[in-house]
Amino acid sequence: MKTAIGYLGIDVAKTFHVVCVKDVDKHSLIPSLKINDDEQGYEQLRHCLDTLKDKYRIHLFVTGLEATGPYHRKLVEVLRQWSDIALTVLNPLQTAHYLKSDLRRASTDKISAEGIAQYLVEKKPASTQFVSEACDTVKHIVRHLNGLSKQKTAAINRLHDQLVQIWPEFERTYRNLNTKQVLALLTVAQTPTQANALDFDAHKHLTIGGNQYTLRSDFITAVQELARSSQPRYVKLALEPIIKSLAEEILFLLSQIDQMTTILQGFFTDPDNNDKPLLSTINGVGDVSAALFTATIGDVNRFRSGSQVVAYFGVNPGVKTSGDTVHCKGYIQKRGNSIVRYYLFNCVLAMIRLKNHPIQRFYQHLVNRGKTKMVALTACMHKLVLIMYAMLKNNTPFSMNYAR
């Protein structure tokens, strides 16, 4: 049977991929093809497609594959270079539910590739509109930043646990162990005894991990007073190496966070006039958050409405009802990137503390109507996404008169 369009389903694996090609009537045009994830495998796929084009006069291959962490990225870049490919990167949930609806009990690479091809024939999903490489890089940097922040928080919590055992007065006085002054001191003095014996004049300027730290005179005086009046809780515990190691680890993580933040800020900043991302004009949105939101949205024209952006961020409400029974109402879908929602939530927390901010007024309005604070915060996240969409769509900076 002659056809003008081929439907190409690809099941992605770590070292190889399985390919299935069907026509509009769901007939397989070739037996399942297994290709390696290398240049030779891509040439094999290209040769197969060229053969099908000549045999069936196919001018376009509607291609679908599942997003599988890093494994699909190289194949996607290759397929995007081929002019006869209309590529769709599918959410694995879509194909998984589709195969379940077919009541299939077996699951193999071949069956998965066939299922993806059939899904393309029946559902005809739109081609994926890819974001730029800069936007993709920003999302990877922010994901790395988030990981560094979690490591730092875990190390600080462990440091609190160790300090409270041998120097509880210091731990109570300097609760914020995120301060470089405090951490630099703990690399040279971990107990009151060491602090009393330390020559602070010789250790006022410290070099730790290649970075220079200077201890302030007033800080040194306060620490000396603490050391003289301190009575350690467990004198016999030798926790000094652990405290020193944790302090050095946290300082290293702080330097890495600063380095990654500097790199991130340069992606959407014009070096000629120092212009920052448009979304950074929103009061309460920092440069890192603005870069992340800009990268997540990418080309704003790929969204037909603000509601689509809200759903893409995963802050749209979900409702499940059957007859008079309400199974679920009011919970957000959480289908988007959890890291993006984390930054979005923290931006909203900052905004509701700003007087006369549109988000703060909206939040107070909802609370006054009897909404719980968490429901109001979630609604504010929804509204903030709509404001960002309008700003990018109209290329206009933020105004405090929004929603007046």
Side-chain angles (χ1 to χ4, degrees):
M1 176 181 176
K2 303 297 182 181
T3 180
I5 298 179
Y7 295 88
L8 183 65
I10 304 177
D11 182 72
V12 177
K14 184 175 182 179
T15 58
F16 65 89
H17 313 302
V18 178
V19 179
C20 176
V21 184
K22 292 183 177 292
D23 61 16
V24 71
D25 296 320
K26 301 182 187 178
H27 297 143
S28 295
L29 301 182
I30 59 170
S32 61
L33 176 67
K34 181 178 178 180
I35 62 171
N36 293 325
D37 187 34
D38 53 26
E39 296 300 325
Q40 185 177 359
Y42 302 145
E43 292 178 3
Q44 181 184 359
L45 176 59
R46 183 67 263 179
H47 176 73
C48 175
L49 297 182
D50 289 338
T51 302
L52 291 175
K53 287 177 68 174
D54 296 336
K55 184 176 181 179
Y56 297 101
R57 298 181 183 177
I58 297 175
H59 70 276
L60 179 67
F61 289 97
V62 177
T63 305
L65 53 85
E66 295 175 334
T68 52
Y71 300 137
H72 72 288
R73 295 185 180 277
K74 184 178 178 181
L75 178 60
V76 166
E77 292 304 316
V78 172
L79 294 176
R80 288 179 64 187
Q81 298 174 11
W82 297 348
S83 59
D84 54 353
I85 295 291
L87 182 60
T88 302
V89 179
L90 300 168
N91 188 324
L93 282 175
Q94 293 175 282
T95 53
H97 286 302
Y98 174 78
L99 289 175
K100 284 183 180 179
S101 68
D102 207 18
L103 300 179
R104 295 196 181 192
R105 296 184 179 181
S107 178
T108 64
D109 296 335
K110 178 182 177 181
I111 291 176
S112 297
E114 290 177 350
I116 293 173
Q118 289 183 192
Y119 179 88
L120 296 173
V121 176
E122 290 188 11
K123 303 299 182 180
K124 294 181 172 53
S127 298
T128 301
Q129 298 186 28
F130 295 93
V131 298
S132 65
E133 291 182 0
C135 291
D136 214 18
T137 303
V138 165
K139 289 190 283 187
H140 280 279
I141 292 176
V142 172
R143 188 178 295 114
H144 179 57
L145 264 176
N146 189 60
L148 291 174
S149 297
K150 289 183 177 180
Q151 292 180 51
K152 182 194 70 174
T153 301
I156 288 175
N157 291 337
R158 293 199 301 273
L159 184 56
H160 274 290
D161 293 339
Q162 303 302 319
L163 276 175
V164 78
Q165 298 184 69
I166 63 174
W167 200 354
E169 292 84 359
F170 186 91
E171 192 271 342
R172 286 195 297 267
T173 304
Y174 299 101
R175 291 291 301 171
N176 183 15
L177 297 180
N178 201 25
T179 307
K180 294 180 180 180
Q181 284 269 319
V182 175
L183 294 168
L185 171 72
L186 289 175
T187 62
V188 293
Q190 298 87 37
T191 65
T193 304
Q194 291 178 344
N196 279 321
L198 188 67
D199 183 2
F200 279 101
D201 291 333
H203 292 84
K204 190 173 183 179
H205 302 284
L206 302 173
T207 301
I208 305 168
N211 296 317
Q212 301 290 330
Y213 301 94
T214 301
L215 301 180
R216 300 191 313 269
S217 299
D218 58 335
F219 174 68
I220 292 174
T221 303
V223 170
Q224 289 174 329
E225 289 292 332
L226 264 182
R228 283 192 289 268
S229 61
S230 295
Q231 296 182 0
R233 188 173 304 174
Y234 300 121
V235 180
K236 294 182 179 180
L237 290 178
L239 303 178
E240 294 88 341
I242 300 176
I243 293 174
K244 180 181 179 180
S245 174
L246 287 170
E248 291 175 347
E249 177 185 349
I250 297 168
L251 284 173
F252 171 75
L253 291 171
L254 286 172
S255 66
Q256 288 295 301
I257 290 173
D258 292 340
Q259 181 181 343
M260 289 294 104
T261 302
T262 302
I263 294 173
L264 188 63
Q265 290 171 341
F267 271 92
F268 297 103
T269 301
D270 189 340
D272 296 330
N273 52 20
N274 202 30
D275 282 344
K276 293 185 176 181
L278 186 63
L279 297 183
S280 65
T281 60
I282 305 176
N283 298 26
V285 175
D287 292 340
V288 173
S289 299
L292 175 59
F293 298 151
T294 302
T296 302
I297 295 174
D299 182 8
V300 70
N301 294 317
R302 66 192 179 119
F303 299 99
R304 293 193 298 271
S305 65
S307 298
Q308 286 191 341
V309 185
V310 169
Y312 188 69
F313 273 66
V315 292
N316 55 319
V319 179
K320 294 181 181 179
T321 63
S322 178
D324 296 330
T325 304
V326 178
H327 298 287
C328 175
K329 184 177 181 180
Y331 294 100
I332 59 175
Q333 295 285 349
K334 293 187 179 180
R335 293 292 177 88
N337 190 321
S338 60
I339 297 177
V340 175
R341 282 196 304 276
Y342 168 80
Y343 277 86
L344 190 64
F345 180 77
N346 282 282
C347 288
V348 168
L349 284 181
M351 291 173 187
I352 63 175
R353 295 178 174 87
L354 300 177
K355 190 176 181 180
N356 293 326
H357 196 285
I359 296 297
Q360 187 272 338
R361 295 195 301 269
F362 183 60
Y363 172 81
Q364 198 59 50
H365 169 71
L366 294 175
V367 172
N368 292 339
R369 285 177 50 193
K371 300 293 184 182
T372 64
K373 291 184 177 180
M374 188 56 69
V375 169
L377 286 171
T378 304
C380 289
M381 293 167 64
H382 184 284
K383 188 175 185 66
L384 178 57
V385 173
L386 293 177
I387 290 175
M388 292 191 296
Y389 172 75
M391 290 173 57
L392 294 174
K393 191 75 173 177
N394 301 317
N395 196 28
T396 56
F398 179 73
S399 171
M400 292 293 283
N401 294 320
Y402 272 115
R404 277 198 182 278

